[in-house]
Amino acid sequence: MTLFLRFYITSGLLQVLPALMTADEDEVGDRITVRSDEELKAMLSYVMWVYAGECVFSLVFAHLQVNTRPNPANVWHISLTLCCVLFFSSLKKSSAELKRILTNGQINAQDIHYQEQLGHGNGGTVYKAYHVLSKRVLAVKVIPLDITVELQKQIMSELEILYKCDSPYIIRFFSAFFVENRISICTEFMDGGSLDVYKRIPEHVLGRIAVAVVKGLTYLWSLKILHRDVKPSNMLVNTRGQVKLCDFGVSTQLVNSIAKTYVGTNAYMAPERISGEQYGIHADVWSVGISFMELALGMFPYPQQLNVTCFLSELFCCSSQDPPVLPVGQFSEKFVHFITQCMRRQPKERPAPNNLMDHSFIMQYNDGNAEVVSMWVCRCLEERRAQQAQGRI
Ligand code: ATP
Ligand code: MG
């Protein structure tokens, strides 16, 4: 059976009316086309999910008119579906349905309206984008990759694990798709951007950010995922005070394929990685240390060199110089100790996941106070806007 239905979603009123529509019409206002029972079910679940998520106490009234070829069984079936959804017995199920909508080939190039460019990294370009179907603002990372279809499939299957990632400290993954030789990775948009663009961050704010980063990493490690690219530009914040990690290396093929086209350095890498030894969780811990040192000082703790990796490998392998430490007078002892522990030259001497959570610096700021980060992000964004208006940046 093929149904063409039109949804009108007004404040609390959901109507489904029959209509034959073109794809272009879908992109206007609140109309969404569904073409089968399955899609209708998924869409209704999604609508309930959105309503339930945004206004828990609002009631959703629904009126359903289906006027297709006479087929009472279908009408009955759809009505029953609607009733079931209205009870929305399980938000989890709805969220799973949303994932199905977003991943079932329904996030594709046509459904995405690209807005501004958010940034450009070594691998690709990140855009702010609007997903018409789900009415969500997304961050879409587009990476050019000249690889075979086989490798594309392998990358897609390696990215599957991202659907299982469900943590408030990890950026939400929606979908990934290839168009010609480019992969687009669609994730949650964070309106505060990444931490690398913020200047010196005060310790009481940094403490709350560190708690989120440690929780995010602990979550990834519990899934046996090493982040492998912990650095300020992969720590994102929003005006709600949330802090989330992004760009962790779940797909070996993707990491390898990007590495082939990218000639550069990663100054946040642990000494054992720079010197080509085996590495594990402790390498991520080093990167946490050096990242937070940079965020506290407002500058990278090593002199800027053309070839940072060469410089660091010389420093770590050929000299007995100790890693840098934060100046005690300017920062609390707990914070200085936290950084020093994370940046121990010997990986085994760095804190393990449990010790990280139990560190006095982390415990001190593990108070769930998102307001502190939120107010700081909002203030910084406001200052940036004011500077832009004056033409200073
Ligand atoms: P690298 O390529 O070495 O990882 P990078 O992290 O700076 O460097 P990208 O990952 O391409 O590069 O990200 C570019 C910029 O896009 C980031 O610095 C950040 O400001 C922005 N960005 C990335 N993801 C998001 C997101 N989900 N929400 C908002 N801004 C984002
Ligand atoms: Mg990044």
Side-chain angles (χ1 to χ4, degrees):
M1 180 197 70
T2 303
L3 289 175
F4 289 93
L5 301 170
R6 181 178 287 184
F7 281 60
Y8 291 94
I9 304 159
T10 53
S11 51
L13 177 67
L14 166 71
Q15 282 198 328
V16 186
L17 296 171
L20 279 163
M21 317 166 63
T22 65
D24 287 337
E25 279 178 307
D26 295 357
E27 293 171 9
V28 186
D30 284 320
R31 287 168 280 160
I32 300 159
T33 308
V34 289
R35 295 184 181 82
S36 69
D37 273 2
E38 275 312 296
E39 280 189 34
L40 175 64
K41 265 191 273 177
M43 188 53 66
L44 288 171
S45 302
Y46 169 57
V47 169
M48 294 308 157
W49 181 80
V50 169
Y51 270 83
E54 284 176 4
C55 186
V56 175
F57 298 107
S58 82
L59 275 175
V60 179
F61 299 98
H63 174 63
L64 176 69
Q65 295 175 8
V66 181
N67 188 12
T68 55
R69 269 176 289 139
N71 185 345
N74 282 337
V75 175
W76 182 86
H77 181 61
I78 291 166
S79 306
L80 187 66
T81 304
L82 185 61
C83 290
C84 293
V85 170
L86 274 173
F87 281 109
F88 46 96
S89 51
S90 148
L91 282 181
K92 232 177 169 176
K93 183 172 173 289
S94 302
S95 148
E97 294 278 25
L98 169 65
K99 272 185 191 163
R100 203 180 65 77
I101 292 176
L102 290 171
T103 56
N104 215 7
Q106 295 202 31
I107 283 205
N108 53 46
Q110 295 97 288
D111 294 331
I112 292 176
H113 290 184
Y114 289 91
Q115 298 175 344
E116 75 220 60
Q117 183 175 317
L118 294 170
H120 188 76
N122 294 307
T125 308
V126 182
Y127 299 91
K128 184 177 177 185
Y130 182 71
H131 182 236
V132 178
L133 199 61
S134 64
K135 297 184 179 183
R136 261 174 194 275
V137 176
L138 306 174
V140 183
K141 186 166 191 169
V142 183
I143 309 169
L145 291 174
D146 271 319
I147 52 169
T148 60
V149 174
E150 270 318 300
L151 274 183
Q152 289 188 359
K153 281 187 194 155
Q154 202 175 326
I155 288 173
M156 294 303 281
S157 89
E158 285 177 341
L159 291 178
E160 285 273 301
I161 190 164
L162 292 179
Y163 294 112
K164 293 194 193 117
C165 282
D166 186 11
S167 157
Y169 311 105
I170 301 294
I171 205 80
R172 191 155 166 219
F173 170 79
F174 291 123
S175 184
F177 56 86
F178 272 93
V179 175
E180 293 164 8
N181 64 341
R182 281 168 287 123
I183 185 170
S184 297
I185 301 173
C186 307
T187 60
E188 167 184 13
F189 168 70
M190 297 287 276
D191 62 359
S194 52
L195 290 182
D196 55 321
V197 293
Y198 291 84
K199 304 282 179 292
R200 283 180 68 162
I201 304 177
E203 191 179 318
H204 71 285
V205 178
L206 216 41
R208 269 87 185 195
I209 294 175
V211 170
V213 167
V214 167
K215 286 185 178 175
L217 284 175
T218 309
Y219 176 78
L220 288 180
W221 295 333
S222 76
L223 295 179
K224 308 241 178 315
I225 299 171
L226 288 187
H227 189 295
R228 292 191 171 88
D229 202 10
V230 175
K231 55 182 178 181
S233 71
N234 288 336
M235 299 173 188
L236 302 167
V237 284
N238 65 19
T239 46
R240 292 163 63 194
Q242 294 177 308
V243 182
K244 305 193 183 200
L245 294 172
C246 68
D247 286 350
F248 39 98
V250 287
S251 165
T252 318
Q253 273 310 336
L254 185 57
V255 172
N256 290 345
S257 306
I258 293 172
K260 276 185 198 138
T261 55
Y262 151 63
V263 202
T265 52
N266 182 349
Y268 301 87
M269 270 189 197
E272 64 272 21
R273 282 187 74 183
I274 288 176
S275 51
E277 292 160 39
Q278 284 219 323
Y279 63 90
I281 283 175
H282 294 101
D284 278 349
V285 175
W286 168 280
S287 308
V288 169
I290 194 160
S291 298
F292 278 87
M293 183 178 264
E294 175 179 347
L295 295 171
L297 294 171
M299 54 186 261
F300 192 67
Y302 290 108
Q304 294 294 327
Q305 303 274 324
L306 271 180
N307 191 332
V308 188
T309 313
C310 263
F311 168 74
L312 292 179
S313 63
E314 224 166 82
L315 184 77
F316 294 135
C317 308
C318 316
S319 88
S320 55
Q321 206 181 314
D322 284 327
V325 283
L326 277 178
V328 186
Q330 295 173 35
F331 301 96
S332 73
E333 269 178 38
K334 284 178 187 171
F335 187 29
V336 174
H337 185 262
F338 175 74
I339 300 290
T340 312
Q341 289 301 105
C342 290
M343 290 183 72
R344 305 290 288 212
R345 197 187 270 246
Q346 292 306 321
K348 293 254 160 68
E349 291 176 9
R350 295 173 211 147
N354 290 346
N355 309 123
L356 267 186
M357 269 321 292
D358 293 344
H359 191 281
S360 54
F361 176 65
I362 297 298
M363 293 212 315
Q364 178 185 348
Y365 290 109
N366 189 13
D367 56 6
N369 190 346
E371 195 72 17
V372 172
V373 180
S374 165
M375 276 162 55
W376 169 78
V377 170
C378 291
R379 209 186 56 230
C380 292
L381 292 180
E382 226 160 78
E383 281 171 11
R384 219 180 289 165
R385 269 193 291 271
Q387 284 179 347
Q388 270 164 350
Q390 291 168 12
R392 281 200 271 152
I393 49 173

